[in-house]
Amino acid sequence: MLRRGRTAAVGAALAGLGLLVAGAVVAGTRSSDATALQRTRQPASQGIERKVDNLLKKMTVDEKLQQLQLLSDGQITDADAKAGVGSVFSLTDPAKIDHFQHVAVEQSRLHIPILFAYDTIHGYRTIFPVPLGAASSFDPSVATADDTVAARETATVGIKQIYSPMVDVSHEPRWGRISEAAGEDPYLGSVFAAARVKAAQGADYSAPDKVVASVKHFAAYGQPEGGREYNTTDMSEARLHNLYLPPFKAAIDAGADTAMCSFNAINGVPGCANQELETDVLKGEWHFDGFIESDYTAVAELRACPPKTPDTGPCGHGVAADGPAAAAAALNAGTDSEMVSTNIRDFGAQLLAEHRITMARLDDAVRRILRVKFRAGLFDHPYVDQTAAVATTSFLTAADRAAARAAAGKSMVLLKNDNATLPLDPAKSVVVIGPLGDSRHDMLGPWWGQGKDEDAVSLLAGIKAQDPSTTFSQGCTILDKDPPDNTPAGECGSDAEFAAAVAAASSADQVVLALGESRGQSGEAAARSEIGLPGKQQELIDAIKATGKPFVVVLFNGRPLTLTDVAASAPAILEAWFPGVEAGNAVADVLFGKVNPGGKLPVSFPRSLGQIPIYYNHEPTGRPCDVTSKYNSRYRDLASCDPLYAFGFGLSYTTFSVTNLRLSAPSVPKSGKVTASVDVTNTGARAGDDVVQLYIHDPVASISQPVRRLRGFQRVTLKPGVAQTVTFTLDKRDFGFFDNRGKFVVEPGEIDVFAGDSSAASLEQSFNVTG
């Protein structure tokens, strides 16, 4: 649903004047968001199709059903491999992977290789920033770097499928898995989804350093009621198609050859038994010819409770009476591969005999799985290069670390910087204070792959590498424990060490407070009912403030937090997210000014929990929020209509101006294009990055349209005094929308265009769609 764009130089005369007065005007290339979104999906290879057909003809029913089975690392046995099991996930030992592959290829009747898979989310061995942090870069090259390294490391051990990218748009910061995707906007999410798929798969994922991507969780998993993991989702067709499906479509257009259906029910229909989404949309409208695997036991969970046939295992959705019914519901809806539970494999023959599934549908599922295996090159190169798989030169190289460090630096967002608190003065003494100040473990974030704590750089270590005299005081302790073992006492629950922290701050010239969440407080099954700083961390901030020393709060977290009290106390706030293996070095680069922060928020930060959901691209109301009166869409106890920090917001150590928005034409036919250009200038004294953002609004439509929709962005690096023109192209994919029938429509009328460097962009022009 997205468009092409480019950057261009302003005219030669103005450029010459700029050289004399304000510095050079820089020319650019096609905008990075447009490049990422170029469709690259290729038609099926007829050679591979013939191989699939020939193999399928030889298969028995039992062998076909085996291909639909996806087992975990704790389930797989030699007997499964010999029987022809289709896939295995979470096995990471290359020797074991190679062993089972030899059994499958050499001892199964048809010698079909196993597809091994893993949750490589933001790195396999080299851990990059969590995806929400990477999205803060507004630079798809960050995602490209992550997935390029991750694919190579993953494939080296014999794993050829990754359960990534996770592209669930979310307006729910209580939900722990908001950390795994790109935040609240479908356009930003689409750009990062496409970039990750292209990096992971390359032009040909049979290459030894590439893998097949599985886009997840299809669909609308990111909007569960109350933010509680696995909870139900209910929404209109228009909302589903306009807000939640675009990143999936972008991933499929980029070539993603597998997808994972979601745990949640959408309008009462579970994701893994949802024919409309799996078959009608994904396989039909989008022409997806890969396969869909279920999430963990999601097929078994279709059953009503207590579970029947078998009488054990998970249950709950209540759309199937028993295991056979669950198998039929999943397969008939479009699910091709069942993870962990074994209902399709165990009851498939019975269902065929009872005509509850068809041989045509079973063959279709098998064909899709075999197609991916051929495309992955598994029939030609099934085995693991054991030398490469254990070589230290295959993982976490110096170049990999450098890429992770650069990515982390680009992903940080400067939220506040009063009195030029940052960058720190290298001539003055520094103390690091806080429960996360010397943590390596938490820096890796949730879904840390095969990352190791001992490889991570803590904040203290990173700062000491640039200022060896730096001291440290913990202040309080945050323990990374899962429920029910976590306790308030283990989450900065005591102020017993505050006095030592205050003394340390009093002895230093400048203070770095390292606060936030443990890595386990974000991620899967990590919903929070309160999203402020856990425990007594705010009290620690206030104690340090009372010393009168300049200080910065560095936040490590995987979700938006309520920071109203933090912002009232702290002169400077740096949102670092969970930065990955090079965390400490990357944060130190920003704190000391070696890297000028240029990230922007990919999700709104609420003022209080009661504001949730709050997001920039909301629909209008007949009584918009107005804090100067009563009878409108406001909170009586909040003197603002806005979040604390809005989508697209982020500061820098320099300043920028975004000016001169102009359109190429005052009107455009429904099938036409219009370009929007804007100038951005570094008006400060330091080189730095800004993100030019383009938004549109359709003020009059058959269905109320969001007050703003992001339709273009470009991160630019400018020296002081230098200007650059950025140009975006808008077409029907931008100014059209889906209606409540799920139909894409383009309506005539005015379209407002806004440009700036946040979602509060104030430059405005308009054009008319005709015809």
Side-chain angles (χ1 to χ4, degrees):
M1 298 176 63
L2 311 160
R3 77 296 168 274
R4 298 166 61 191
R6 64 184 180 84
T7 56
V10 262
L14 179 59
L17 180 63
L19 286 170
L20 295 173
V21 180
V25 176
V26 180
T29 58
R30 167 180 285 168
S31 60
S32 58
D33 60 333
T35 300
L37 289 168
Q38 285 186 289
R39 180 182 171 90
T40 55
R41 190 166 195 87
Q42 299 297 315
S45 160
Q46 292 306 304
I48 285 179
E49 294 304 294
R50 285 191 293 271
K51 292 178 181 178
V52 170
D53 289 340
N54 290 336
L55 184 53
L56 188 62
K57 292 174 184 177
K58 301 175 184 178
M59 298 177 74
T60 66
V61 168
D62 284 345
E63 287 169 332
K64 293 175 181 179
L65 293 170
Q66 283 287 351
Q67 282 300 302
L68 273 58
Q69 186 60 57
L70 169 55
L71 297 177
S72 73
D73 55 334
Q75 291 176 295
I76 180 67
T77 66
D78 283 10
D80 293 309
K82 187 174 181 179
V85 70
S87 307
V88 174
F89 75 99
S90 288
L91 189 65
T92 58
D93 183 335
K96 291 182 179 179
I97 290 172
D98 199 50
H99 166 78
F100 287 121
Q101 197 69 282
H102 274 279
V103 173
V105 172
E106 295 168 8
Q107 298 182 38
S108 69
R109 189 179 74 89
L110 294 177
H111 316 295
I112 301 174
I114 298 170
L115 178 64
F116 288 91
Y118 190 68
D119 284 284
T120 300
I121 306 300
H122 55 108
Y124 180 77
R125 189 75 170 75
T126 303
I127 308 305
F128 278 67
V130 291
L132 188 62
S136 298
S137 71
F138 275 70
D139 184 348
S141 72
V142 169
T144 297
D146 179 350
D147 277 72
T148 298
V149 173
R152 189 200 76 233
E153 292 184 338
T154 304
T156 296
V157 300
I159 297 169
K160 287 296 284 184
Q161 183 190 23
I162 59 172
Y163 296 147
S164 174
M166 195 274 230
V167 302
D168 294 298
V169 171
S170 183
H171 303 142
E172 184 45 87
R174 291 172 294 184
W175 185 54
R177 299 192 83 169
I178 197 172
S179 64
E180 294 177 44
E184 71 186 37
D185 183 73
Y187 184 85
L188 181 64
S190 294
V191 171
F192 273 76
R196 288 188 183 279
V197 170
K198 291 178 180 180
Q201 294 192 171
D204 177 3
Y205 58 82
S206 68
D209 61 344
K210 296 299 177 184
V211 294
V212 60
S214 183
V215 59
K216 67 182 186 183
H217 307 84
F218 198 65
Y221 182 56
Q223 205 56 36
E225 287 188 359
R228 289 185 291 121
E229 188 69 77
Y230 320 119
N231 207 6
T232 190
T233 301
D234 197 287
M235 64 181 60
S236 68
E237 284 288 317
R239 193 171 183 83
L240 177 66
H241 282 81
N242 289 315
L243 289 179
Y244 297 95
L245 293 187
F248 290 96
K249 178 63 161 56
I252 299 304
D253 286 348
D257 253 0
T258 59
M260 182 184 292
C261 54
S262 57
F263 284 117
N264 61 294
I266 307 126
N267 302 337
V269 182
C272 292
N274 198 308
Q275 182 172 335
E276 177 187 356
L277 287 175
E278 294 187 279
T279 296
D280 297 348
V281 174
L282 181 55
K283 295 179 178 179
E285 295 176 21
W286 297 354
H287 308 292
F288 172 72
D289 65 358
F291 72 83
I292 303 171
E293 75 270 352
S294 81
D295 210 333
Y296 198 107
T297 68
V299 174
E301 292 169 30
L302 300 177
R303 299 179 297 168
C305 293
K308 294 181 180 178
T309 320
D311 297 337
T312 58
C315 57
H317 277 298
V319 297
D322 54 20
L331 188 64
N332 289 334
T335 303
D336 302 301
S337 176
E338 181 177 3
M339 184 188 290
V340 177
S341 55
T342 59
N343 297 284
I344 298 175
R345 183 191 70 182
D346 295 348
F347 303 117
Q350 171 191 332
L351 294 170
L352 282 168
E354 295 171 353
H355 305 291
R356 295 165 67 184
I357 63 172
T358 65
M359 185 62 75
R361 173 65 190 108
L362 177 59
D363 285 351
D364 173 62
V366 176
R367 181 176 283 108
R368 291 170 177 276
I369 292 167
L370 294 178
R371 180 181 292 131
V372 169
K373 290 185 176 184
F374 275 110
R375 289 176 178 172
L378 285 173
F379 285 89
D380 296 323
H381 302 287
Y383 303 128
V384 182
D385 180 341
Q386 292 296 314
T387 301
V390 297
T392 57
T393 53
S394 296
F395 310 95
L396 200 64
T397 66
D400 297 339
R401 279 191 174 273
R405 182 172 181 168
K410 279 194 168 185
S411 300
M412 295 178 198
V413 185
L414 184 61
L415 298 179
K416 185 178 180 182
N417 193 27
D418 287 357
N419 304 316
T421 302
L422 293 177
L424 299 176
D425 187 340
K428 295 181 177 180
S429 62
V430 178
V431 60
V432 175
I433 294 173
L436 300 176
D438 199 23
S439 172
R440 293 183 292 178
H441 173 84
D442 294 297
M443 297 301 99
L444 300 181
W447 289 110
W448 57 93
Q450 291 296 297
K452 298 181 179 180
D453 292 358
E454 58 265 31
D455 293 327
V457 181
S458 73
L459 177 58
L460 177 62
I463 291 179
K464 285 180 73 72
Q466 299 191 32
D467 181 359
S469 65
T470 299
T471 57
F472 173 66
S473 180
Q474 190 168 20
C476 62
T477 301
I478 292 181
L479 302 176
D480 184 24
K481 291 187 176 182
D482 290 331
D485 297 325
N486 62 312
T487 64
E491 297 173 356
C492 193
S494 170
D495 60 6
E497 298 179 57
F498 281 16
V502 167
S506 299
S507 300
D509 297 322
Q510 44 199 354
V511 181
V512 176
L513 273 174
L515 308 174
E517 301 177 308
S518 71
R519 74 183 189 190
Q521 288 177 301
S522 287
E524 186 170 1
R528 291 181 58 194
S529 64
E530 298 285 347
I531 57 169
L533 286 174
K536 296 181 178 293
Q537 292 182 82
Q538 180 63 48
E539 295 174 33
L540 179 58
I541 294 174
D542 295 337
I544 299 306
K545 179 183 179 181
T547 67
K549 295 299 177 75
F551 70 97
V552 55
V553 171
V554 179
L555 295 170
F556 299 104
N557 47 291
R559 56 159 53 82
L561 301 173
T562 49
L563 299 175
T564 299
D565 291 342
V566 178
S569 299
I573 305 172
L574 179 68
E575 175 56 84
W577 308 106
F578 290 116
V581 69
E582 282 289 308
N585 288 330
V587 174
D589 289 341
V590 172
L591 293 179
F592 285 108
K594 292 182 178 180
V595 170
N596 191 344
K600 304 287 186 176
L601 290 179
V603 62
S604 303
F605 275 47
R607 293 177 182 274
S608 64
L609 189 69
Q611 273 192 313
I612 297 170
I614 186 167
Y615 47 98
Y616 90 92
N617 50 349
H618 62 86
E619 294 171 3
T621 173
R623 296 186 177 188
C625 182
D626 177 2
V627 296
T628 66
S629 61
K630 177 179 180 181
Y631 292 100
N632 62 79
S633 184
R634 62 163 296 177
Y635 292 99
R636 66 177 294 133
D637 56 349
L638 280 181
S640 174
C641 297
D642 301 319
L644 181 64
Y645 298 115
F647 177 90
F649 171 78
L651 301 174
S652 170
Y653 297 154
T654 189
T655 55
F656 297 92
S657 68
V658 181
T659 59
N660 194 22
L661 172 63
R662 63 269 191 198
L663 304 178
S664 62
S667 63
V668 60
K670 288 183 179 180
S671 59
K673 299 178 181 180
V674 61
T675 61
S677 298
V678 66
D679 302 332
V680 56
T681 305
N682 185 338
T683 56
R686 287 175 174 263
D689 290 7
D690 198 16
V691 179
V692 180
Q693 301 165 44
L694 190 80
Y695 296 85
I696 68 169
H697 172 54
D698 185 345
V700 180
S702 58
I703 296 176
S704 293
Q705 292 300 294
V707 295
R708 291 195 177 185
R709 290 193 290 145
L710 179 70
R711 301 312 294 173
F713 62 86
Q714 177 66 44
R715 183 165 177 155
V716 296
T717 302
L718 297 174
K719 294 180 179 179
V722 174
Q724 181 169 328
T725 295
V726 180
T727 297
F728 304 95
T729 299
L730 300 170
D731 62 25
K732 65 181 181 182
R733 294 168 293 179
D734 300 289
F735 43 78
F737 59 89
F738 285 91
D739 64 17
N740 269 321
R741 299 168 294 169
K743 180 182 178 182
F744 188 75
V745 296
V746 181
E747 298 179 346
E750 184 178 66
I751 300 293
D752 298 327
V753 181
F754 304 90
D757 51 12
S758 79
S759 57
S762 58
L763 297 179
E764 182 177 359
Q765 293 287 344
S766 63
F767 65 91
N768 277 285
V769 178
T770 61

